[in-house]
Amino acid sequence: MAMHLLFIAAAAAQPAGGGGIEQIVREFGIDWPSLIAQIVTFAVVALVLYKLAFKPVLATIDTRQQKIEEGLRYTEEMKARLAATEQQTAEALKKASLEGQRIIDEARKSAKEFLDRQTQEATERSSQLVTKAQQAIDLERQKMMSEVRAEIARLVVLAASRVLSRELSDQEKARYAESAAQELANV
Amino acid sequence: MLKAYHRLVEQEIGRTQARVEAPQALSESVLSAVAGALSRKYGRSISAEFVSNPDLIAGLRVRVADDVYEASVAGQLQALAPSFS
């Protein structure tokens, strides 16, 4: 449109010597009123189109572009959050796994200590039982030996009594009595 | 009270009488010797009474009140018995 205006201005500025421009105008068949009318019409249409069509469409396009950008930004944000959540979950799982392993190890250790303690206590109890049984056996044996000795003493005394009763004559008994009387006198 | 008096009388008699146990009869000399020895020992007159006890085997056992003098074979054997234990 600017070029058209320039041509019109050149033709108006050179009425007598503007041969080159008149030649161009004549060769291309340009009608100045219609050209100007067309230019004006084009300008009006362009303006109307800009106001009523291009501007809303561009606004719509801008809005859509903005929404698309927001959506992409939201998506990126969600991806980042998901990645962070996954990382946290992985860390929590790892931590839980380590904790679980630690608990298992502690439980095994406690079980082993309990088993060792119970084994030791059982061994001590059995040892004490054996010692007590041995003491009881020793006591019983001593008691039995004491009873045997007492019985042997009784039998020896009885046997000696019977032998002496049978073997000692009356004279020997009388002599013994005299001897005992003398001994009594010396007491 | 009579029982108590009787007991006291018995005790007084026991103090002056010796019970001599032996498996066979003792001669008078033996009894006299025993009575004399006890009289000297206790400082009072004590008479000896013989009592037969075949379980003594040989020797004699004399009892004066609460005192007992053991000189019998059976008594010595009984005294020997604890030494076996």
Side-chain angles (χ1 to χ4, degrees):
Chain A
M1 189 173 175
M3 291 301 292
H4 286 293
L5 291 173
L6 280 175
F7 276 122
I8 292 168
Q14 298 178 4
I21 294 175
E22 284 184 2
Q23 188 180 0
I24 291 171
V25 170
R26 217 185 302 109
E27 283 184 4
F28 283 96
I30 295 175
D31 186 14
W32 286 111
S34 65
L35 180 63
I36 291 169
Q38 285 178 358
I39 290 170
V40 171
T41 304
F42 179 77
V44 168
V45 170
L47 185 64
V48 169
L49 281 176
Y50 178 77
K51 289 282 188 192
L52 298 179
F54 289 159
K55 204 169 178 183
V57 169
L58 289 175
T60 303
I61 290 172
D62 287 341
T63 304
R64 192 170 295 177
Q65 187 68 28
Q66 198 174 356
K67 283 185 180 178
I68 290 172
E69 285 177 1
E70 284 180 1
L72 290 174
R73 197 164 48 244
Y74 181 77
T75 303
E76 291 299 321
E77 190 176 334
M78 288 300 109
K79 280 185 182 176
R81 283 189 184 179
L82 178 63
T85 303
E86 285 179 350
Q87 188 178 3
Q88 285 179 358
T89 304
E91 286 179 0
L93 284 173
K94 184 178 177 183
K95 190 176 178 183
S97 174
L98 289 175
E99 184 69 16
Q101 190 62 38
R102 185 187 68 80
I103 291 172
I104 289 171
D105 291 340
E106 280 186 6
R108 281 180 183 162
K109 186 179 173 186
S110 297
K112 187 175 183 306
E113 287 176 357
F114 179 75
L115 178 64
D116 291 342
R117 198 163 52 243
Q118 290 295 315
T119 303
Q120 187 179 0
E121 286 178 4
T123 304
E124 285 177 2
R125 276 201 297 273
S126 67
S127 176
Q128 286 175 1
L129 283 173
V130 167
T131 303
K132 283 184 182 175
Q134 189 64 40
Q135 288 174 354
I137 290 170
D138 289 342
L139 278 173
E140 194 64 30
R141 191 173 60 84
Q142 286 175 9
K143 183 182 170 187
M144 185 187 69
M145 291 300 290
S146 180
E147 288 176 357
V148 165
R149 287 195 192 97
E151 185 64 18
I152 289 173
R154 190 186 69 80
L155 291 173
V156 165
V157 168
L158 183 62
S161 301
R162 288 185 180 171
V163 165
L164 288 172
S165 296
R166 198 170 45 243
E167 296 298 327
L168 286 177
S169 63
D170 290 343
Q171 284 175 353
E172 287 172 337
K173 288 180 183 177
R175 265 206 303 277
Y176 201 92
E178 288 173 7
S179 171
Q182 250 180 349
E183 197 178 309
L184 183 62
N186 294 332
V187 169
Chain B
M1 190 184 293
L2 282 177
K3 286 183 181 176
Y5 179 73
H6 188 255
R7 190 165 60 248
L8 287 173
V9 169
E10 279 184 349
Q11 282 180 2
E12 189 60 30
I13 292 172
R15 289 179 63 201
T16 59
Q17 195 169 26
R19 180 188 168 95
V20 181
E21 297 177 28
Q24 63 184 25
L26 296 174
S27 62
E28 283 298 322
S29 61
V30 172
L31 282 174
S32 300
V34 170
L38 291 174
S39 297
R40 283 193 297 277
K41 181 174 175 58
Y42 286 94
R44 59 179 183 268
S45 175
I46 292 179
S47 61
E49 178 193 6
F50 168 77
V51 174
S52 176
N53 187 355
D55 293 336
L56 296 181
I57 302 174
L60 45 83
R61 179 187 293 161
V62 180
R63 181 174 295 176
V64 178
D66 294 328
D67 297 334
V68 177
Y69 298 92
E70 186 67 55
S72 65
V73 171
Q76 289 175 1
L77 286 174
Q78 289 297 330
L80 184 64
S83 64
F84 286 104
S85 301

